Amino acid sequence: MLTAIQHHSRKSGTRRGRARTATAAAAVALAAVTAAGGLTSASAAPSEPAPEPAVAAVAELDVQDVPFVSAIPGEPAMPKVTVTNVAKSRVATQDVTVTLGPHGVSWLGWQEVYIVRGGKTEKNRCRISETNARQAFCKGVKLYLDPGQSINLHTEVATSPDLEPCEMPRVHFQVGTTGADANFVMTNPDGTPAECRH
């Protein structure tokens, strides 16, 4: 009887040893397959596409020429536009591009755009384009317009002394994605209004 029990014990131990060996072999095989990229964890969450980047809302502005601006030939001129917020949300800052017309105007010794607000003049520095000397970029001009509000935006340019009375040089203002030409009429050399027919 003792011999039979010992024999049975040895057989059971052998089976347990074989089972442990098989389990170890399976674990080694699984590790090898996983390392090779053949299997993924069942508990891993499925990959999700990256979220789309947020797109900034485009400011809705109306830009219009301010009429009846005049200048004396050879003297500085101040062309201006009216900028109105026609959106339903506040417009804080916008980039502004100022482009000189084809003739009769040039930059002074500085490049700025101005906003008169509450009796005070706010200055915004600009820089001349490296590829177009007749164009200036003004970064982050502080409009601070609530829906329906308007401000006048102007710059200062030099005029040619050989401009004739009634000639109308122009400067283009691009405010964000909207722009308009700012025209001004030349007076007589003594500053008196010229009789113009346009």
Side-chain angles (χ1 to χ4, degrees):
M1 174 65 79
L2 182 58
T3 303
I5 291 173
Q6 289 174 341
H7 179 67
H8 177 71
S9 235
R10 283 197 296 271
K11 287 177 68 178
S12 296
T14 302
R15 283 199 295 270
R16 284 195 295 271
R18 288 176 181 167
R20 283 196 297 270
T21 302
T23 302
V28 171
L30 178 60
V33 172
T34 303
L39 291 177
T40 57
S41 172
S43 61
S47 61
E48 297 181 0
E52 292 289 332
V55 178
V58 176
E60 296 180 40
L61 299 169
D62 180 65
V63 182
Q64 297 289 333
D65 175 34
V66 174
F68 310 119
V69 174
S70 62
I72 300 172
E75 298 291 330
M78 289 197 298
K80 61 183 68 176
V81 292
T82 299
V83 182
T84 304
N85 180 5
V86 295
K88 295 181 180 180
S89 57
R90 180 178 172 84
V91 175
T93 64
Q94 285 289 294
D95 294 342
V96 175
T97 302
V98 181
T99 306
L100 299 177
H103 72 281
V105 287
S106 59
W107 300 118
L108 293 168
W110 62 92
Q111 292 76 46
E112 294 177 331
V113 291
Y114 308 95
I115 296 172
V116 178
R117 194 183 342 245
K120 296 182 179 179
T121 300
E122 302 172 6
K123 299 179 181 181
N124 299 268
R125 295 289 295 174
C126 310
R127 64 174 179 83
I128 300 297
S129 167
E130 296 178 356
T131 57
N132 182 357
R134 300 187 68 78
Q135 197 167 66
F137 300 115
C138 317
K139 187 77 174 176
V141 175
K142 298 173 182 177
L143 301 180
Y144 295 160
L145 292 173
D146 289 325
Q149 285 188 328
S150 300
I151 51 97
N152 281 349
L153 183 68
H154 71 273
T155 192
E156 192 171 10
V157 295
T159 64
S160 175
D162 59 4
L163 283 167
E164 296 292 333
C166 297
E167 279 195 78
M168 294 183 68
R170 70 176 185 271
V171 172
H172 185 82
F173 287 80
Q174 185 76 22
V175 186
T177 59
T178 308
D181 285 341
N183 300 287
F184 51 99
V185 64
M186 304 312 297
T187 68
N188 292 313
D190 61 1
T192 59
E195 294 184 7
C196 306
R197 296 179 182 179
H198 291 293

